[in-house]
Amino acid sequence: KAGVTQTPRYLIKTRGQQVTLSCSPISGHRSVSWYQQTPGQGLQFLFEYFSETQRNKGNFPGRFSGRQFSNSRSEMNVSTLELGDSALYLCASSSGQGAISSPLHFGNGTRLTVT
Amino acid sequence: GNSVTQMEGPVTLSEEAFLTINCTYTATGYPSLFWYVQYPGEGLQLLLKATKADDKGSNKGFEATYRKETTSFHLEKGSVQVSDSAVYFCALSVPGGSQGNLIFGKGTKLSVKP
């Protein structure tokens, strides 16, 4: 069974640009979550999608947005990039039935560098 | 609010040494507790979990017991190997909260020397 796939692995962007990251969940998983990982703040929850609907959102500015498609694939978008957006962005999928029965499965992440 | 506090790293041990990584939490209600591990260049992998007080999660020689009275979920391993070198994250999932929304500790980097 293929794991969670994130593309691209690495991205370099300039301040002010926008970026789109992609995540393909494990087959059959309907929930996709996004996390930002930085050395200073650690892992911070961005948002979660389930069956194309945003189910929960973390404390990030509106520049961070996401969506989920009918095949459960998800994208997140960051507009007007700032230097502080440099981070590893992790996607995780689960069946969506509950944390106990279906824990999160993480991808290897997209490393975004903003210059 | 809900939060997780882990001991600061890095932790450096010799092979076959005993490992303890402390984790305490603050949460409303009765959370589920998790330990995730992140190897270099990879995403996080679930190591073990516990869903209620006094539950013991175990996997690959690692253990952690859900202690409600001390709000703790310390990770232990009796004899570490070089291959255990990684970053370890304690996390909680609050009942009634969104399943995909885990609250993580800052992580503890473990280095095991041969």
Side-chain angles (χ1 to χ4, degrees), chain A residues 16-36:
Chain A
Q17 289 186 314
Q18 67 95 26
V19 67
T20 299
L21 312 182
S22 181
C23 173
S24 293
I26 289 173
S27 177
H29 283 188
R30 296 166 64 190
S31 171
V32 173
S33 298
W34 289 90
Y35 289 81
Q36 181 194 65

Side-chain angles (χ1 to χ4, degrees), chain B residues 33 35 48-59 61-67 73-74 76:
Chain B
L33 301 173
W35 277 100
L48 53 82
K49 64 186 180 186
T51 62
K52 61 184 187 298
D54 300 325
D55 264 4
K56 178 185 281 188
S58 61
N59 186 27
F62 291 90
E63 292 183 340
T65 301
Y66 189 141
R67 300 286 187 201
F73 193 54
H74 304 321
E76 296 182 336

Side-chain angles (χ1 to χ4, degrees), chain A residues 46-67:
Chain A
L46 281 156
F47 26 66
E48 180 193 11
Y49 287 87
F50 181 79
S51 293
E52 302 179 66
T53 301
Q54 187 178 85
R55 189 152 73 171
N56 204 357
K57 189 177 190 303
N59 289 328
F60 279 82
R63 300 185 297 107
F64 292 81
S65 63
R67 60 178 175 169

Side-chain angles (χ1 to χ4, degrees), chain A residues 9 33 35 37 40-43 45 48 55-56 88 90 94 96-100 102-104 106-108, chain B residues 32 34 36 38 41-46 49-51 87 89 93 97-106:
Chain A
R9 284 299 307 271
S33 298
Y35 289 81
Q37 186 177 22
Q41 298 299 316
L43 279 154
F45 172 75
E48 180 193 11
R55 189 152 73 171
N56 204 357
L88 180 66
L90 292 167
S94 72
Q97 299 305 312
I100 313 313
S102 177
L104 297 182
F106 283 82
N108 288 343
Chain B
S32 297
F34 305 84
Y36 279 82
Q38 185 176 34
E42 298 183 10
L44 280 70
Q45 301 174 26
L46 177 65
K49 64 186 180 186
T51 62
V87 182
F89 294 90
S93 174
S98 174
Q99 180 209 352
N101 181 5
L102 294 184
I103 297 169
F104 286 90
K106 290 288 181 71

